[in-house]
Amino acid sequence: MTNKELADLIFPNITKTIEDLRKEYPKRNLPEGAIVTRYAPSPTGFVHVGALFACFVARTFATQSNGVLFLRIEDTDTKRTVDNGISTIINGLKEYNVTFDEGPINDEGDSIGNYGPYIQSQRKEIYQVFVKHLLEQGLAYPCFCNNEELETMRQKQEKTKARIGYYGPWATCRNLSNEQRAERIKNGEPYIIRLKSNGNYNKKIICHDEIRGDLAFPENDVDIVINKSDGLPTYHFAHLVDDYLMGTTHVIRADEWIASFPLHYQLFQMFGFEVPKYAHISPLSKVEDGKTRKLSKRKDPEAAMSYYYELGIPYEAVRLYLATIANSGFEVWHAANPKADISEYKFEFSKMSKSPSLFDLDKLNFICKEYISTLKAEDLYKDVANYLKVFDAEFEKLFTRNPEYSIGFLNIEREQKKPRKDIAYYSDVKKEMWYMFDELFTYKWEDEKDSNAEILLDYMNNYYNENDTQQEWFEKVTEFGRKYNYVPMKEYKVSPDEFKGHTGMICEMLRYIVTTKHQSPNLYDILKLLRKDRIINRIEKYLKK
Ligand code: GLU
């Protein structure tokens, strides 16, 4: 029995050839050097911040080379598929400006682009054309080993300290004749299809990585499964077929796939296809108990994108941070060009880290504060209101009741050389602003009361004028202070015993009474926003303490 006859027995309905398919997936018409790359998640509905990072990198390289980024859903492992898995991925990434030029656009099966279907479970026959081709060439074979037999083999390998896997002498189904194969298939025995590896474990294969350079591995000699019993391919085989047909020039993916690198090289070479370029991205990591480890979906809340939404971490700040991690030169460039868009920076694979990159929330927090300090108060107001709508409806009511009032508060110490940097996340706004709303205002009653506070009523009634400029305001505070023996710092310092205190102490008292804090944005502005009556109310409330 010839290989062709066996292939026809296994795939009687597959009549297309690789050549036929090639015509359906013509070469893309793109400028020289354009990078075609993809994001290829399983539709689990979960986006890990590491995946966002990889996607951000892929989007950046595709955009700056006038190339293409497409989305491919890898659902050949049907157990991992969840409802709304696709839209969750698309919507989650869109917020970070990671959009796809091609691929599925919703959960209803719609997609854009000419290189689909972009969902692997819809490509079964396409993969089978390639499997059939290998069968015809005698480079693949059906394997009838059941789980029990494979387990016995594994135990034997363990005992004899042999390498684990289905290869060489261990690959028993490799040696069956086509007649034996055909007979067992006709008898209804379950089987899968394995690659008949042509690799020699004692020989080296050099695989080139765009980030890490040349890497040497033993050649792959394992007869890996390429087609499962449900007719769908394994990840490795689908990777070969899809990235070949879809014209991927660069495979940008997590470094957990480095171990499969020699196998993937081998697959492309066995078909005589050009091997795409690979860039394996180092994982985002954190330091725990002095040790560096990968950010874990199980242990680290910040691994999930939901963490960023819930805290109200600005999308653009996250992008800035990802850019900082992606290329070592970015941070310096951004500091020199604070107004320039991220896309104006030229990212390079060679500037990406070969070792795990520290994902540091303190650093992110710092970048958020910097970023928010550059926003116009009106824009920040809108972002915060949008955030509150979802995560804090109660505070949203107060915050949006009088937009001018909230914008006024956000605008304090904003458009100036050294702007205020107390807000990192949208959720911080309530923490920094609650005292501006009478509904939330309350003293920490355990704090010791300032017995001199009474004099502030005199100040409010006889000195404070809402229309004063900041300078006039301060002059009046000084004048008022003198009346009660509080003098400017310069005088006070010379002979502190002679005076009750210095002018700053008046401001301190006032600040504490209206904000319950010892530090706040510019007091003059806060007083102006609160207005005279409410300030007097607060002083009276305080005096009753
Ligand atoms: N589906 C694979 C994953 O989830 C894709 C890896 C790749 O990009 O090739 O990691």
Side-chain angles (χ1 to χ4, degrees), residues 38-42 72 74 80 235 239 243 251-254 256-257:
R38 78 295 191 278
Y39 175 48
S42 299
R72 181 171 71 226
E74 307 216 328
R80 301 182 68 201
Y235 161 71
H239 157 48
D243 284 317
V251 175
I252 300 172
R253 63 183 181 187
E256 67 194 86
W257 294 107

Short mmCIF file of all heavy atoms in Angstrom, two decimals, residues 38-42 72 74 80 235 239 243 251-254 256-257, ligand 1:
data_model
loop_
_atom_site.label_atom_id
_atom_site.label_comp_id
_atom_site.label_asym_id
_atom_site.label_seq_id
_atom_site.Cartn_x
_atom_site.Cartn_y
_atom_site.Cartn_z
N ARG A 38 1.07 38.73 14.77
CA ARG A 38 -0.25 38.35 15.26
C ARG A 38 -0.27 38.19 16.75
O ARG A 38 0.75 38.00 17.40
CB ARG A 38 -0.70 37.06 14.55
CG ARG A 38 -0.08 35.79 15.07
CD ARG A 38 1.38 35.63 14.89
NE ARG A 38 1.84 34.30 15.17
CZ ARG A 38 2.11 33.81 16.39
NH1 ARG A 38 2.00 34.58 17.45
NH2 ARG A 38 2.51 32.57 16.55
N TYR A 39 -1.49 38.28 17.28
CA TYR A 39 -1.71 37.91 18.67
C TYR A 39 -2.60 36.68 18.61
O TYR A 39 -3.62 36.69 17.92
CB TYR A 39 -2.38 39.06 19.43
CG TYR A 39 -2.75 38.71 20.86
CD1 TYR A 39 -1.83 38.09 21.70
CD2 TYR A 39 -4.02 39.01 21.38
CE1 TYR A 39 -2.16 37.78 23.00
CE2 TYR A 39 -4.35 38.70 22.68
CZ TYR A 39 -3.42 38.08 23.50
OH TYR A 39 -3.76 37.77 24.80
N ALA A 40 -2.19 35.62 19.30
CA ALA A 40 -2.85 34.33 19.10
C ALA A 40 -3.30 33.71 20.42
O ALA A 40 -2.80 32.67 20.83
CB ALA A 40 -1.89 33.40 18.35
N PRO A 41 -4.25 34.33 21.09
CA PRO A 41 -4.65 33.81 22.40
C PRO A 41 -5.68 32.69 22.31
O PRO A 41 -6.37 32.55 21.30
CB PRO A 41 -5.31 35.03 23.06
CG PRO A 41 -5.94 35.74 21.90
CD PRO A 41 -5.01 35.53 20.73
N SER A 42 -5.78 31.95 23.37
CA SER A 42 -6.92 31.06 23.54
C SER A 42 -8.05 31.93 24.07
O SER A 42 -7.80 32.85 24.85
CB SER A 42 -6.61 29.96 24.55
OG SER A 42 -5.52 29.20 24.10
N ARG A 72 -5.70 36.07 16.02
CA ARG A 72 -6.07 34.69 15.66
C ARG A 72 -6.48 33.98 16.95
O ARG A 72 -5.75 34.02 17.94
CB ARG A 72 -4.88 33.99 15.03
CG ARG A 72 -5.20 32.57 14.61
CD ARG A 72 -4.10 31.94 13.79
NE ARG A 72 -2.91 31.64 14.55
CZ ARG A 72 -1.67 31.93 14.15
NH1 ARG A 72 -1.45 32.55 13.00
NH2 ARG A 72 -0.64 31.61 14.90
N GLU A 74 -6.95 30.86 19.09
CA GLU A 74 -6.43 29.50 19.13
C GLU A 74 -7.29 28.65 20.07
O GLU A 74 -7.02 28.52 21.25
CB GLU A 74 -4.95 29.53 19.56
CG GLU A 74 -4.15 30.48 18.67
CD GLU A 74 -2.73 30.03 18.36
OE1 GLU A 74 -2.10 29.37 19.20
OE2 GLU A 74 -2.27 30.34 17.26
N ARG A 80 -10.77 25.11 26.92
CA ARG A 80 -10.41 26.42 27.45
C ARG A 80 -11.30 27.57 26.95
O ARG A 80 -11.13 28.70 27.32
CB ARG A 80 -8.95 26.73 27.11
CG ARG A 80 -7.99 25.70 27.68
CD ARG A 80 -6.55 26.04 27.38
NE ARG A 80 -6.13 27.23 28.10
CZ ARG A 80 -5.09 27.97 27.74
NH1 ARG A 80 -4.40 27.63 26.66
NH2 ARG A 80 -4.74 29.02 28.43
N TYR A 235 -1.24 22.70 18.82
CA TYR A 235 -0.76 24.07 18.70
C TYR A 235 0.39 24.19 17.69
O TYR A 235 0.39 25.07 16.82
CB TYR A 235 -0.30 24.61 20.08
CG TYR A 235 0.61 25.81 19.94
CD1 TYR A 235 0.10 27.03 19.51
CD2 TYR A 235 1.98 25.71 20.17
CE1 TYR A 235 0.93 28.13 19.32
CE2 TYR A 235 2.82 26.79 19.98
CZ TYR A 235 2.30 28.00 19.56
OH TYR A 235 3.11 29.07 19.36
N HIS A 239 0.26 26.38 14.33
CA HIS A 239 1.19 27.52 14.23
C HIS A 239 1.86 27.52 12.86
O HIS A 239 1.89 28.54 12.15
CB HIS A 239 2.22 27.43 15.37
CG HIS A 239 3.50 28.16 15.12
ND1 HIS A 239 3.54 29.47 14.66
CD2 HIS A 239 4.80 27.78 15.25
CE1 HIS A 239 4.81 29.83 14.52
NE2 HIS A 239 5.59 28.83 14.86
N ASP A 243 0.62 30.48 10.33
CA ASP A 243 1.58 31.56 10.11
C ASP A 243 2.17 31.50 8.70
O ASP A 243 2.55 32.53 8.15
CB ASP A 243 2.64 31.56 11.22
CG ASP A 243 2.06 32.15 12.51
OD1 ASP A 243 1.35 33.17 12.40
OD2 ASP A 243 2.26 31.58 13.59
N VAL A 251 6.97 36.20 14.43
CA VAL A 251 6.21 35.58 15.51
C VAL A 251 6.70 36.21 16.81
O VAL A 251 7.83 35.98 17.23
CB VAL A 251 6.45 34.05 15.53
CG1 VAL A 251 5.77 33.41 16.73
CG2 VAL A 251 5.98 33.43 14.22
N ILE A 252 5.85 37.05 17.38
CA ILE A 252 6.21 37.71 18.64
C ILE A 252 5.39 37.01 19.72
O ILE A 252 4.16 37.05 19.69
CB ILE A 252 5.87 39.22 18.57
CG1 ILE A 252 6.64 39.87 17.42
CG2 ILE A 252 6.18 39.89 19.90
CD1 ILE A 252 6.25 41.31 17.13
N ARG A 253 6.07 36.33 20.62
CA ARG A 253 5.31 35.55 21.59
C ARG A 253 6.09 35.39 22.88
O ARG A 253 7.27 35.74 22.95
CB ARG A 253 4.97 34.17 20.99
CG ARG A 253 6.20 33.34 20.70
CD ARG A 253 5.86 32.01 20.03
NE ARG A 253 7.07 31.23 19.79
CZ ARG A 253 7.10 30.09 19.11
NH1 ARG A 253 5.99 29.60 18.58
NH2 ARG A 253 8.24 29.44 18.96
N ALA A 254 5.42 34.84 23.89
CA ALA A 254 6.02 34.69 25.21
C ALA A 254 7.19 33.70 25.17
O ALA A 254 7.19 32.77 24.37
CB ALA A 254 4.97 34.21 26.19
N GLU A 256 7.94 31.39 26.99
CA GLU A 256 7.66 29.99 27.37
C GLU A 256 7.69 29.07 26.14
O GLU A 256 7.78 27.85 26.28
CB GLU A 256 6.29 29.90 28.06
CG GLU A 256 5.15 30.20 27.13
CD GLU A 256 3.83 30.43 27.85
OE1 GLU A 256 3.57 31.58 28.26
OE2 GLU A 256 3.06 29.49 27.98
N TRP A 257 7.63 29.66 24.95
CA TRP A 257 7.64 28.85 23.73
C TRP A 257 9.05 28.60 23.20
O TRP A 257 9.22 27.94 22.17
CB TRP A 257 6.79 29.52 22.64
CG TRP A 257 5.34 29.54 23.02
CD1 TRP A 257 4.62 30.63 23.42
CD2 TRP A 257 4.45 28.43 23.11
NE1 TRP A 257 3.34 30.27 23.73
CE2 TRP A 257 3.20 28.92 23.55
CE3 TRP A 257 4.58 27.06 22.85
CZ2 TRP A 257 2.10 28.10 23.74
CZ3 TRP A 257 3.47 26.25 23.04
CH2 TRP A 257 2.26 26.76 23.48
N1 GLU B 1 -1.97 30.19 21.69
C1 GLU B 1 -0.63 30.40 22.10
C2 GLU B 1 -0.67 31.00 23.49
O1 GLU B 1 -1.71 31.11 24.04
C3 GLU B 1 0.03 31.31 21.11
C4 GLU B 1 1.52 31.35 21.15
C5 GLU B 1 2.03 32.04 19.90
O2 GLU B 1 1.94 33.26 19.86
O3 GLU B 1 2.48 31.36 19.00
O4 GLU B 1 0.32 31.34 24.08
#
